[in-house]
Amino acid sequence: MSEQQLIQLLKEADKDVLRRLYLEYRSAFISFAQKFCSNANDIVDTYQDAIILLQEKAIQGDLDDLRCTLKTYLFGIGKYILFNKMRKQKKIVSPMKLEQETYDYNDMALDFLEDQPNELQQKLQRAFATLGKKCKEVLSLFYYRGYTIEEICDSLHYENKNVVKSQKSRCLKQLKEKVKTYS
């Protein structure tokens, strides 16, 4: 069954399709979310909320022009919900110190985009790979890991949050310019 057919059946509130998607992506989402959260109950609750939100988005027509796979979209929803839940509970997103982490940015991208990335995503990945280490850290912490500006300031030992904002802004501008060069 094609993605468009699945979306159409989700729009029609087809319970069998919803159940099928729930079961098909559940274990992969749990594995994905364990990188950010160690509480299994939070992960399962988040996944259930993400599935419900996915169907609501389909019913509202927000998935009609979807530019990624349903799985990628679902994981994005789940990650966003999980980070918000953890932030509200004032939990730290990463259980280990940042200095001990080793970043493999290609693995990060592949974890989220297991399916073949579209043309824009490929350009973004190539452009991101050419950024300096500090830019990669700031942008990854903010966009991929869901850190706040304050959390980045503390983790990377910046002088204050304004320095982090400036750094993030410069890095994002640099990334956008690099993406344009791949056009």
Side-chain angles (χ1 to χ4, degrees), residues 1 11 30 35 52 72 93 115 118 153 159 163 171-172:
M1 185 175 302
K11 283 175 84 166
I30 290 171
K35 295 175 184 176
I52 291 167
T72 300
V93 175
D115 300 310
N118 65 32
C153 186
E159 204 172 299
V163 175
C171 293
L172 197 53

Side-chain angles (χ1 to χ4, degrees), residues 60-88:
Q60 294 167 359
D62 293 344
L63 303 183
D64 292 345
D65 296 320
L66 192 62
R67 294 180 181 251
C68 60
T69 65
L70 277 173
K71 180 179 179 182
T72 300
Y73 191 79
L74 176 65
F75 280 35
I77 291 171
K79 186 175 99 170
Y80 178 79
I81 292 170
L82 187 61
F83 283 171
N84 279 341
K85 184 179 289 192
M86 292 172 70
R87 200 171 281 125
K88 285 178 185 172

Side-chain angles (χ1 to χ4, degrees), residues 109-125:
L110 291 176
D111 284 344
F112 189 69
L113 300 169
E114 286 183 358
D115 300 310
Q116 188 66 27
N118 65 32
E119 185 179 340
L120 178 61
Q121 291 166 334
Q122 289 174 354
K123 289 177 186 177
L124 184 60
Q125 286 174 346

Side-chain angles (χ1 to χ4, degrees), residues 153 157-164:
C153 186
H157 309 293
Y158 278 96
E159 204 172 299
N160 61 50
K161 66 182 185 179
N162 290 331
V163 175
V164 176

Side-chain angles (χ1 to χ4, degrees), residues 121-158:
Q121 291 166 334
Q122 289 174 354
K123 289 177 186 177
L124 184 60
Q125 286 174 346
R126 285 196 306 263
F128 185 80
T130 66
L131 291 175
K133 182 180 178 192
K134 282 290 184 188
C135 280
K136 285 180 181 177
E137 285 179 333
V138 169
L139 294 177
S140 292
L141 289 175
F142 188 79
Y143 291 106
Y144 182 75
R145 303 291 301 266
Y147 278 36
T148 64
I149 295 295
E150 292 81 13
E151 290 169 332
I152 294 171
C153 186
D154 292 341
S155 296
L156 297 179
H157 309 293
Y158 278 96

